[in-house]
Amino acid sequence: MTQDNIDRRTLVVLATYNEIENIPSLVTELLATLPNADVLIVDDNSPDGTGRYAQELAAREPRVKAFVRENERGLGSAVLRAFQYAIEYEYDYVINMDADFSHKVADAPRLLEKIRASEKTDTPLDVVIGSRYTPGGATPDWNLKRRVMSRSVNCLARIALGLKTRDNSGSFRCYRVDKLRALSFESFRSTGYSFFEETLYRLKRLGAQFAEIPIVFLDRRLGKSKINGREAVKAVWIMTSIGFARLFGRAR
């Protein structure tokens, strides 16, 4: 199999809501950096026209795909929809990343290279995480409150969900689609930010192999953050409830 054929079966996923300021230049950079990968934009009917722009771009650029969800909301459910698309259209890898330049486009090939290199070993990887919390990773723009909150959520994920990885809440990851096929999507409880911890938990139960590579996570380039206190509380509740179910042998 040629290198081009391998690249062509990579799907980069961008879940968006009001990202019109970022998405045109981000997609342009992705198409140039991963010249044989496709980009899928899943938009929750953004009032600022992000979804409309994505559809117009997809109409003239065959490597761009777009879904605009009229009656659905949630980062987690958008990424889950992208997983289903990747499975349906037989991609080999999914790279998920934020749509606001918090994740450097130049780091995307590093995730892909790591998971591909593992295929030559006895234990091929199923997920490679762009990690803020491995040596070399950093969050230089964050204040103390945000650092403490993020560290606490990741500590909870390790305790409640039995995860060994350090960065369980970050969305910048490369997944092997063959492993995603084994997931029971109907069992997911998370539709928001805790989706990323729950995904690792469910993949871990399937025997998935994980690795982390360091990244520098930056504050968004333009626009407003979608993180709020309500979502944070919901994420903690979902992880805690899954943790109790795991502890008492009732996890699904």
Side-chain angles (χ1 to χ4, degrees):
M1 183 176 292
T2 68
Q3 187 70 25
D4 281 354
N5 285 336
I6 295 174
D7 286 341
R8 209 178 307 279
R9 293 189 294 158
T10 298
L11 183 69
V12 182
V13 173
L14 305 172
T16 59
Y17 186 76
N18 286 347
E19 295 291 356
I20 193 62
E21 295 174 287
N22 292 303
I23 207 71
S25 52
L26 178 59
V27 172
T28 297
E29 190 172 342
L30 279 167
L31 294 177
T33 303
L34 295 167
N36 296 301
D38 293 338
V39 176
L40 171 62
I41 302 165
V42 183
D43 184 74
D44 283 358
N45 199 20
S46 298
D48 72 350
T50 301
R52 183 170 60 254
Y53 172 82
Q55 290 176 320
E56 292 170 354
L57 179 59
R60 63 179 186 269
E61 171 51 71
R63 292 171 54 206
V64 175
K65 322 296 177 183
F67 293 144
V68 177
R69 308 193 306 166
E70 298 287 343
N71 300 310
E72 292 181 83
R73 291 290 186 274
L75 176 60
S77 63
V79 177
L80 192 149
R81 178 67 185 89
F83 286 172
Q84 294 170 321
Y85 180 91
I87 292 168
E88 180 180 356
Y89 288 93
E90 299 185 337
Y91 286 91
D92 284 340
Y93 310 103
V94 168
I95 298 176
N96 185 78
M97 63 191 301
D98 290 350
D100 58 7
F101 285 100
S102 293
H103 301 136
K104 296 180 181 180
V105 172
D107 286 332
R110 296 174 54 224
L111 299 178
L112 203 53
E113 289 164 8
K114 180 76 172 179
I115 205 166
R116 285 177 179 165
S118 75
E119 294 172 352
K120 300 176 182 178
T121 71
D122 294 333
T123 54
L125 297 169
D126 299 298
V127 185
V128 176
I129 300 168
S131 177
R132 300 160 292 185
Y133 302 129
T134 52
T139 54
D141 300 331
W142 285 9
N143 59 29
L144 179 61
K145 179 181 178 181
R146 192 170 178 187
R147 291 176 194 272
V148 170
M149 287 179 62
S150 180
R151 291 281 188 176
S152 298
V153 166
N154 277 282
C155 182
L156 174 62
R158 287 192 292 273
I159 294 171
L161 306 182
L163 298 171
K164 304 298 184 183
T165 41
R166 297 186 184 185
D167 194 342
N168 303 296
S169 60
S171 64
F172 196 20
R173 301 172 182 171
C174 182
Y175 300 89
R176 184 186 304 282
V177 174
D178 275 348
K179 202 65 176 182
L180 296 179
R181 284 190 178 93
L183 288 170
S184 173
F185 294 125
E186 297 78 12
S187 299
F188 273 78
R189 301 181 57 182
S190 306
T191 58
Y193 289 94
S194 58
F195 173 83
F196 297 106
E197 292 94 337
E198 184 174 357
T199 298
L200 294 184
Y201 164 71
R202 295 192 178 280
L203 287 172
K204 175 178 174 289
R205 294 182 67 202
L206 294 170
Q209 298 294 315
F210 305 113
E212 297 179 85
I213 62 172
I215 63 163
V216 176
F217 183 94
L218 305 172
D219 275 351
R220 64 169 39 249
R221 183 176 293 183
L222 295 168
K224 296 181 179 179
S225 174
K226 315 303 186 300
I227 299 173
N228 57 55
R230 181 179 179 183
E231 279 292 338
V233 170
K234 186 177 180 181
V236 169
W237 166 249
I238 289 174
M239 281 191 285
T240 302
S241 61
I242 292 175
F244 274 114
R246 182 177 75 92
L247 182 63
F248 293 104
R250 298 176 181 176
R252 291 189 301 162

